[in-house]
């Protein structure tokens, strides 16, 4: 697989991951109880966490998508690294809350973002 193909695949995968993260965020802000373990009540803290998550996840997804749309490889790697670390934080919260879906999904997205950050950092820009 040549460098241009890998870049296209990683761009599409990370774009989809960013949209997925933003979508879950918006759903969580609208219905904060979605991510809670069964039987746990929604309270003021739940709303605070959902909104704080939105304050991070939505702008980070927007910046990631904008950089891919602009084709700016020089800044993609650091933004993907930040996105990957944020996803690992979300995964840790999922583990703590015994939310298997959140733990696994966020962990996988973290791996995708960090591996992609490494690839964009290490590979030369495709010629074209």
């Amino acid at each position: 697989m040549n460098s241009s193909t890998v870049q296209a695949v990683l761009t599409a995968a990370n774009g989809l991951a960013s949209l997925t993260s933003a979508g879950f965020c918006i759903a969580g802000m609208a219905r904060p109880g979605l991510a809670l373990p069964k039987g746990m009540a929604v309270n003021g803290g739940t709303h605070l966490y959902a909104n704080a998550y939105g304050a991070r996840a939505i702008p980070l997804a927007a910046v990631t998508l904008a950089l891919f749309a602009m084709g700016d490889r020089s800044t993609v790697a650091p933004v993907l690294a930040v996105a990957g670390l944020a996803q690992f934080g979300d995964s840790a919260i999922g583990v703590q809350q015994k939310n298997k879906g959140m733990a696994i999904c966020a962990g996988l997205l973290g791996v995708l973002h960090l591996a992609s950050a490494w690839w964009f950092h290490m590979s030369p820009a495709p010629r074209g």
Side-chain angles (χ1 to χ4, degrees), residues 24-88:
F24 277 114
C25 172
I26 292 166
M29 291 173 73
R31 294 190 52 207
L34 289 175
L36 293 178
K38 193 172 187 169
M40 184 178 273
V42 174
N43 60 35
T46 310
H47 287 281
L48 175 66
Y49 170 77
N51 291 328
Y53 175 56
R56 171 193 57 83
I58 293 171
L60 187 54
V63 166
T64 303
L65 291 167
L67 291 176
F68 281 129
M70 293 183 328
D72 186 356
R73 282 181 54 110
S74 67
T75 55
V76 166
V79 170
L80 285 175
V82 169
L85 294 172
Q87 289 292 352
F88 281 145

Side-chain angles (χ1 to χ4, degrees), residues 70-116:
M70 293 183 328
D72 186 356
R73 282 181 54 110
S74 67
T75 55
V76 166
V79 170
L80 285 175
V82 169
L85 294 172
Q87 289 292 352
F88 281 145
D90 292 342
S91 181
I93 292 167
V95 169
Q96 178 193 29
Q97 294 295 315
K98 296 178 178 46
N99 184 327
K100 194 182 300 187
M102 181 180 180
I104 292 170
C105 185
L108 291 173
L109 293 179
V111 169
L112 170 66
H113 288 325
L114 289 177
S116 298

